Amino acid sequence: MAERDALGEFEHHVLLAALRLGDGAYTTSIMTELEQRTGREVAAAAVYIALRRMETSGLVRSRLKSGVELGERRERRYIRVTPEGVTRVREARRRLERLWEGLHIVTTEG
Amino acid sequence: VNERASPRGWVRRLLEWTLPYEDRSALSAEMRELYDRRAARHGRAAADRWYLRQASWFVLRLGAERVRDLIGTADSWRSEIRQGARTFVRQPGYSAAFVVVLALGTGGVTALYSAAERLLLRPVAGVTASDELVTIRLTSFEAPPHVFYRVSHPDLELLREMLTTTRGLAGASSLDVHMRTDAAGAQRLGAEIVTTDYFDVLGMRLHAGRGFGTGAAGDGTRVILSYRLARSLAGEVGAVIGRSVRVNGREFEVIGVAPQGFSGADLAGRAEMWFTLSSLPLLDASVAEDIITSRYGDVWSMLYGRMSHGASPEAVLANVEAALHRIRRENAGGWHPFMVTHLRFEVTPGVGLNPGIRPTVQRTLALLSCAAALLLLLSVANLANLALTRATSRRSATGVRLALGSSRARVARELWIETLLLGSAAGVATYALSVIWLRVFSATQLTAYGGTLGGLHASPRLIVLAFAGAIAAAGVAGMQPALSAGRNALAHALRGAHSGDSHSPRVRAVLVGTQVAISMVLVLGAGLLGRTVVNLRSIDLGFEPDNIVTFAMDPALDGIEFSRVEALARQLESDFAQTPGVHAAGWVSPPPLRTSYITASLRNPADAEPVIGAGYFVTPGFMRALGVRVLAGDAAWNTEPGTVVISRNVAAALFPGQPPARAIGKPVDARGTTLRIAAVIEDVQLSDITREPPPVFLRPLAERYEGLQLNAFVNGSSGLRGVRRMLDARGGAQPYFDLRTARAAIDEQFAERNLMARVATVLSVLGLLIAAVGLYAMLAYTVVLRRHEIGIRIALGATAADVRLQFMQRALVLSLAGAIVGAIGGLAVSRVLRAQLFGVEALDTATYVGAMLVVIVVASLAALLPSIQAARVPPGEALRSD
């Protein structure tokens, strides 16, 4: 397989948040999850665009659920991480781990 | 249900407007939910701020994303260009129509822009720091702009001394000369007499050689040649320096070559040689030796000044006006009283097209550009329609592609690329077309007083302009379909091809109506100008100019002494008279058929006041060649010395209340000389045809006091070619020039109106054609779209005539509406044209009605075929096609 782009930091975060939320992942829930875990305000636009891009490259899949299915009056676009997406998150983690290896000064002080 | 707080309306709308259609409701609902939560926790104000921040991010990030999508990657561009090129080849009809219509629209505009650039915007070749230059002319308060007066050399020196606002002041004056070479025989060329500092004031470095030096009037035996002339004389330009050239029978030493492309500071000029004032008596035997020192020697027609630092043209004007006071005082004794009271200086910034004809050229080009811009607008409307039709017909395919995951941006991009490819192809066609336009009109004189488009050629700038114009116009035409590409296309694809096309018929109708309206405006303009030209051509001149061929000779410039000129003229006259096809031939001087004439006067010895009119000196054949009716006296007048022939209005003024016959043989006084009236002829217009014929006096050529140009009138069926053959058979002893029919010479008096009428006619025919094609295409397409409906109508009993009528009606309503809108637009056009019209009112009812009829007839013809096709729809097939 040809060399593919490494996952960007923000996309990495979004994928992790989506995996955490499982069936309840959609744009604003991912955004809220990220805000709670990182303690910083996140732009919904950034999440939305990251999801759209990852959908184009096959890392996530989305499905629009109407109010009827949800039992309420709204519709939502639910996100599911594809196996390809999961592989990419793993790769990203491994890359980070390799970078962290042997950096005792930082880890011990932290 | 608890009442929900809500973000401010406009922010919400901003967000919703930004969001992509498919996610709009889902995302905005989600965002509102979050807003509610925030409002509950942090208060409404904080939630509003948060929402505004979020919405702004959406605007920025999605905007950037959309731009990224539109630009695409290099790879996607390559594939899309390939794709576009394929469609281009696969649909040659569409592509060809697009390219041709676009090129027709842009060709005219680019050609006119080049003309304007050449005559009005381009700096004069070789001139440096032209913003420091001013052009100064002596004109009068009442005279039209092309009338000018000359400044004598002592007056120029006085000006130089008095002007504090200029660092240098050069004079120039144009004349024609005859140059004789062994290789080419005699040639008539444009030349200028200039002051020795002429090239310095213009800030010009000669291409080769040196200038005239600094002497007051220069060495009279030296000449500077144009680059073009130097090249034609010697292959290598520099080699011409030091050589001697024979001009007007005298030898001159070439001391310099002007910069390439320079033909005088006046862009309407065509000077190939420059002499100093000391050369003038050598070139023209009638000019006195003391021309340099004489206060009354009329020499300089144009003055060019280089301003001192910080001076403005206004300051120069104030300066020259003060100087004029002194010139008036010092010249008071010698000047005609009219000149003392009526002359003024005119100061124009820069150098370039002669200020005398500049306004006319500007007006002409501006009007033509407006017409060309209208045609461009018309063709863009046509193309927009074409692109729209095509996008609609491809809607299903687009829908399928969107369903398969193509982004809308990509589809839009493809449409644009396709249009731009067509635009580039049209760029080539535009270029070709504008070159043709320029060729056709390059010899055309723009005004009665000179200024041609000649010398225009394909410049790199023109190529850039043609491409930029065509691509921009294509981009505009393709915008609507590209922007709306894929909007609702999915649903459309699912519903079926021929339904749901709800709003583009209206857009299409408006586009077609616009085309009809614009072509109506063009037809109106062409109609008014065409009638003007027809009116100008049907003025009764007292003679019939269509059978007369005229040409000019300048024997004095060929070194022929004036005493021999008359004999030469008579010799030529009898040569011509013996030529088959020639009815009569004769000579006249000064040149007739121009807007101006040289005044002469005759006085009844019993009266105090003379009759002032136009004086011409002629040979015996002239009256016969002119074909003017002789009312009384000697019809075969042989130009006996001391005789004069007068026109009917002269006789009426000299001898009021008496019949013309009573004037014959009567003595009259011509500024001290007593003449006897030999004949009275019908009033005849040999000058400005838009005016009443002036009093005309014909006197024997032998009594002409100086050797000037002679004009031959050859009346007969031999035509231009016959006369040219005869002249060429004589050999190149004396060059002839201005060979044309008398009609063509007269037409030159209203050159700009003639040009405008011709261009407007061409543009209106093209406009009508494009609009007709547009109407045809729209109806034909509607027929295809409505096949089903028509089929049902026919199945339900509608006759073919009903169906035809339905479509014809639609076409007529549309074209009538367009024509009415066009007529209203035409009111504005006729206001602008008013000054150009002759013998026809700007709001001439006949022209308006005629133009409307033309437009509607053309529209009906265009609608005929689709209507017939509609009526032929077989009901069964139409029903099956669903």
Side-chain angles (χ1 to χ4, degrees):
Chain A
M1 193 176 170
E3 194 186 322
R4 47 190 181 190
D5 296 337
L7 219 47
E9 191 194 7
F10 189 71
E11 287 163 327
H12 189 176
H13 291 184
V14 170
L15 277 184
L16 288 176
L19 284 169
R20 264 177 199 286
L21 289 165
D23 284 342
Y26 50 88
T27 307
T28 44
S29 70
I30 293 171
M31 172 196 169
T32 318
E33 177 73 16
L34 283 175
E35 282 186 333
Q36 277 165 6
R37 300 229 163 235
T38 60
R40 278 186 314 190
E41 189 175 307
V42 173
V47 176
Y48 176 74
I49 286 167
L51 285 173
R52 261 173 47 137
R53 279 192 198 154
M54 288 193 288
E55 189 169 9
T56 318
S57 41
L59 305 188
V60 299
R61 215 177 303 148
S62 75
R63 201 184 141 219
L64 204 61
K65 277 192 188 154
S66 66
V68 185
E69 287 172 72
L70 293 171
E72 38 181 312
R73 281 174 56 213
R74 296 173 181 168
E75 50 174 20
R76 249 172 213 158
R77 186 178 288 281
Y78 280 91
I79 302 293
R80 166 158 289 176
V81 182
T82 62
E84 167 77 7
V86 174
T87 318
R88 295 289 291 279
V89 181
R90 278 207 197 102
E91 271 173 23
R93 179 190 169 145
R94 234 172 280 140
R95 214 171 277 138
L96 275 178
E97 279 173 352
R98 270 199 296 278
L99 282 170
W100 275 104
E101 256 171 30
L103 278 175
H104 300 296
I105 312 157
V106 185
T107 42
T108 48
E109 269 188 25
Chain B
V1 182
N2 64 336
E3 195 179 301
R4 235 170 1 136
S6 171
R8 305 265 146 100
W10 67 270
V11 190
R12 208 180 59 230
R13 271 198 295 280
L14 176 73
L15 179 67
E16 282 172 1
W17 172 75
T18 322
L19 289 172
Y21 177 75
E22 60 272 18
D23 284 329
R24 191 168 292 166
S25 64
L27 251 181
S28 60
E30 284 177 32
M31 290 300 289
R32 220 176 297 170
E33 200 180 300
L34 282 182
Y35 173 88
D36 291 347
R37 255 186 261 154
R38 268 189 190 250
R41 207 177 310 150
H42 305 290
R44 251 197 99 173
D48 274 342
R49 276 199 302 279
W50 171 84
Y51 197 90
L52 175 63
R53 254 190 333 267
Q54 292 286 345
S56 320
W57 273 116
F58 265 107
V59 173
L60 286 176
R61 301 284 306 253
L62 284 173
E65 195 73 1
R66 218 164 271 184
V67 170
R68 239 181 59 142
D69 276 357
L70 264 178
I71 294 170
T73 60
D75 270 351
S76 65
W77 269 89
R78 248 189 308 252
S79 82
E80 275 152 21
I81 287 178
R82 219 174 302 132
Q83 172 79 25
R86 226 174 289 146
T87 355
F88 190 85
V89 177
R90 226 179 280 150
Q91 301 193 314
Y94 170 78
S95 309
F98 198 101
V99 167
V100 168
V101 170
L102 184 51
L104 286 179
T106 43
V109 172
T110 41
L112 276 160
Y113 176 80
S114 323
E117 202 230 338
R118 148 122 180 124
L119 286 167
L120 301 170
L121 311 172
R122 187 186 58 146
V124 179
V127 169
T128 53
S130 58
D131 52 330
E132 289 175 5
L133 292 172
V134 285
T135 305
I136 305 172
R137 293 191 315 150
L138 195 56
T139 60
S140 83
F141 286 103
E142 301 87 351
H146 64 270
V147 174
F148 62 88
Y149 298 85
R150 293 171 192 266
V151 176
S152 72
H153 192 63
D155 286 343
L156 172 69
E157 301 216 307
L158 186 81
L159 275 173
R160 276 181 178 155
E161 183 191 309
M162 287 187 67
L163 292 194
T164 52
T165 47
T166 56
R167 288 185 276 149
L169 187 66
S173 191
S174 57
L175 75 166
D176 289 318
V177 296
H178 287 189
M179 181 184 75
R180 189 173 290 274
T181 55
D182 294 334
Q187 247 184 295
R188 188 175 171 87
L189 296 170
E192 274 188 311
I193 299 286
V194 295
T195 50
T196 51
D197 58 354
Y198 176 76
F199 293 101
D200 301 327
V201 168
L202 294 177
M204 192 170 283
R205 265 192 52 201
L206 291 182
H207 180 83
R210 59 202 158 87
F212 288 119
T214 51
D219 181 336
T221 60
R222 291 174 175 172
V223 63
I224 290 175
L225 304 185
S226 73
Y227 183 89
R228 196 197 67 83
L229 182 60
R231 263 198 58 178
S232 75
L233 288 179
E236 210 262 299
V237 173
V240 84
I241 305 288
R243 279 187 26 186
S244 150
V245 287
R246 193 164 180 82
V247 182
N248 290 6
R250 302 277 191 149
E251 297 291 332
F252 292 87
E253 184 200 347
V254 178
I255 57 161
V257 176
Q260 194 169 356
F262 181 73
S263 57
D266 176 4
L267 280 181
R270 43 181 186 89
E272 306 272 11
M273 297 181 146
W274 288 270
F275 300 90
T276 55
L277 188 50
S278 325
S279 307
L280 192 54
L282 301 177
L283 291 167
D284 184 348
S286 68
V287 171
E289 293 281 348
D290 70 349
I291 184 86
I292 297 158
T293 50
S294 165
R295 272 244 113 92
Y296 313 116
D298 294 340
V299 181
W300 306 117
S301 56
M302 288 283 181
L303 303 182
Y304 302 108
R306 186 166 285 277
M307 292 186 281
S308 320
H309 294 295
S312 65
E314 293 74 31
V316 176
L317 180 62
N319 215 184
V320 288
E321 274 176 348
L324 183 62
H325 275 295
R326 201 170 132 194
I327 294 176
R328 276 199 194 113
R329 215 170 40 242
E330 296 191 9
N331 285 337
W335 273 12
H336 190 279
F338 167 84
M339 293 176 76
V340 177
T341 50
H342 287 68
L343 294 195
R344 67 182 177 99
F345 272 117
E346 172 202 87
V347 177
T348 326
V351 293
L353 191 63
N354 176 351
I357 64 169
R358 199 182 178 95
T360 314
V361 171
Q362 265 168 345
R363 203 179 42 231
T364 308
L365 287 179
L367 280 171
L368 291 180
S369 305
C370 286
L374 279 178
L375 186 70
L376 177 59
L377 201 66
L378 201 161
S379 59
V380 168
N382 188 289
L383 294 177
N385 216 342
L386 206 59
L388 200 66
T389 306
R390 198 169 131 75
T392 313
S393 68
R394 286 209 314 205
R395 249 185 172 172
S396 318
T398 310
V400 171
R401 289 194 47 201
L402 286 179
L404 291 178
S406 258
S407 72
R408 255 181 63 190
R410 205 189 146 116
V411 172
R413 193 163 71 221
E414 274 178 23
L415 273 175
W416 268 82
I417 288 176
E418 215 178 281
T419 322
L420 293 186
L421 275 178
L422 288 173
S424 333
V428 180
T430 299
Y431 176 69
L433 210 68
S434 44
V435 169
I436 293 172
W437 270 93
L438 292 178
R439 281 273 161 79
V440 169
F441 289 104
S442 71
T444 305
Q445 200 154 328
L446 274 176
T447 76
Y449 319 104
T452 61
L453 291 173
L456 268 177
H457 44 80
S459 63
R461 203 192 287 229
L462 179 61
I463 298 175
V464 171
L465 196 74
F467 273 86
I471 291 176
V476 172
M479 191 151 66
Q480 213 274 337
L483 287 182
S484 63
R487 190 169 291 161
N488 309 330
L490 200 57
H492 182 83
L494 297 176
R495 271 205 303 272
H498 300 322
S499 58
D501 185 18
S502 59
H503 88 160
S504 63
R506 220 176 317 142
V507 175
R508 255 195 284 276
V510 168
L511 285 172
V512 169
T514 308
Q515 293 172 52
V516 175
I518 295 174
S519 54
M520 172 75 190
V521 172
L522 288 172
V523 170
L524 252 180
L528 289 172
L529 287 166
R531 289 194 59 184
T532 295
V533 169
V534 168
N535 289 342
L536 285 166
R537 286 224 172 132
S538 50
I539 292 173
D540 180 17
L541 302 170
F543 65 98
E544 187 43 68
D546 290 314
N547 299 331
I548 298 172
V549 172
T550 161
F551 65 90
M553 283 190 171
D554 218 338
L557 300 193
D558 301 316
I560 296 174
E561 278 168 39
F562 184 64
S563 55
R564 284 180 47 224
V565 167
E566 212 242 345
L568 176 80
R570 282 191 182 240
Q571 179 59 48
L572 276 165
E573 189 173 304
S574 63
D575 285 356
F576 270 113
Q578 283 159 23
T579 312
V582 172
H583 164 64
W587 295 86
V588 56
S589 179
L593 310 182
R594 301 183 176 179
T595 47
S596 56
Y597 53 80
I598 295 194
T599 53
S601 64
L602 278 189
R603 193 170 59 86
N604 182 342
D607 295 338
E609 283 300 312
V611 177
I612 296 173
Y616 297 98
F617 294 86
V618 302
T619 56
F622 177 72
M623 240 161 66
R624 278 195 304 278
L626 189 64
V628 64
R629 201 154 70 88
V630 179
L631 300 176
D634 185 6
W637 178 53
N638 201 25
T639 64
E640 291 84 0
T643 58
V644 61
V645 170
I646 58 175
S647 57
R648 181 209 285 267
N649 48 11
V650 183
L654 289 174
F655 312 104
Q658 296 185 31
R662 294 288 291 274
I664 306 303
K666 293 261 171 65
V668 279
D669 176 56
R671 288 189 181 138
T673 315
T674 301
L675 304 174
R676 198 173 44 76
I677 295 173
V680 178
I681 54 173
E682 187 54 88
D683 285 342
V684 57
Q685 180 52 281
L686 291 168
S687 46
D688 188 345
I689 60 161
T690 58
R691 293 165 187 266
E692 283 295 301
V696 169
F697 321 111
L698 305 181
R699 292 179 59 187
L701 182 68
E703 290 173 12
R704 182 94 170 97
Y705 48 88
E706 64 193 46
L708 275 181
Q709 180 179 324
L710 288 175
N711 282 64
F713 272 44
V714 182
N715 193 330
S717 56
S718 57
L720 264 188
R721 214 172 300 158
V723 173
R724 190 191 306 267
R725 220 179 8 244
M726 280 181 274
L727 285 168
D728 291 342
R730 290 185 63 249
Q734 288 97 28
Y736 63 91
F737 50 94
D738 288 350
L739 174 69
R740 54 196 173 176
T741 60
R743 174 60 75 195
I746 293 165
D747 279 356
E748 209 165 84
Q749 288 188 12
F750 47 93
E752 69 271 13
R753 291 188 255 200
N754 223 328
L755 174 69
M756 274 191 259
R758 276 158 62 196
V759 174
T761 307
V762 173
L763 291 181
S764 63
V765 168
L766 290 178
L768 270 177
L769 261 176
I770 296 176
V773 169
L775 185 67
Y776 166 82
M778 187 201 75
L779 284 177
Y781 183 67
T782 315
V783 171
V784 173
L785 276 190
R786 296 212 192 153
R787 245 180 125 72
H788 182 64
E789 179 198 318
I790 298 165
I792 293 176
R793 280 196 65 194
I794 295 176
L796 288 178
T799 62
D802 290 338
V803 176
R804 268 201 300 274
L805 193 68
Q806 176 199 350
F807 277 87
M808 286 303 282
Q809 235 168 12
R810 186 172 152 74
L812 279 180
V813 166
L814 202 57
S815 52
L816 193 66
I820 289 171
V821 172
I824 295 168
L827 294 181
V829 172
S830 48
R831 265 178 82 95
V832 176
L833 281 180
R834 186 166 292 162
Q836 311 297 326
L837 301 182
F838 180 84
V840 53
E841 287 293 310
L843 298 178
D844 182 62
T845 321
T847 311
Y848 270 74
V849 171
M852 214 172 255
L853 277 178
V854 167
V855 168
I856 288 172
V857 166
V858 170
S860 314
L861 286 178
L864 209 56
L865 198 60
S867 305
I868 292 172
Q869 274 168 351
R872 286 206 187 132
V873 171
E877 190 206 304
L879 292 174
R880 270 201 306 279
S881 79
D882 197 22

